[in-house]
Amino acid sequence: MSTTRITIDLDDPESLPKGRVDYAVLDGTTEENIASQQREDDAEAMRDIERRSDKQDG
């Protein structure tokens, strides 16, 4: 993912960036997609915990 730099003027709300949403992808997301992502996130969190535990033990 690339980084995009923006400049905003705190006194001018119009200078704030507008969100970009791909509504077709959002609408096409199923409950199974969400559950699958949750399982992946949980597995990654467990790996992170194991890595931290290994560092503390060693």
Side-chain angles (χ1 to χ4, degrees), residues 6-40:
I6 61 167
T7 302
I8 61 170
D9 178 355
L10 296 178
D11 295 323
D12 180 12
E14 291 296 315
S15 70
L16 295 172
K18 305 292 184 254
R20 291 179 289 213
V21 175
D22 185 339
Y23 288 103
V25 171
L26 187 62
D27 288 342
T29 302
T30 65
E31 291 297 321
E32 180 53 37
N33 295 134
I34 295 168
S36 175
Q37 185 63 55
Q38 183 65 51
R39 287 189 297 272
E40 290 177 31

Side-chain angles (χ1 to χ4, degrees), residues 1-4 20:
M1 188 177 294
S2 65
T3 301
T4 302
R20 291 179 289 213

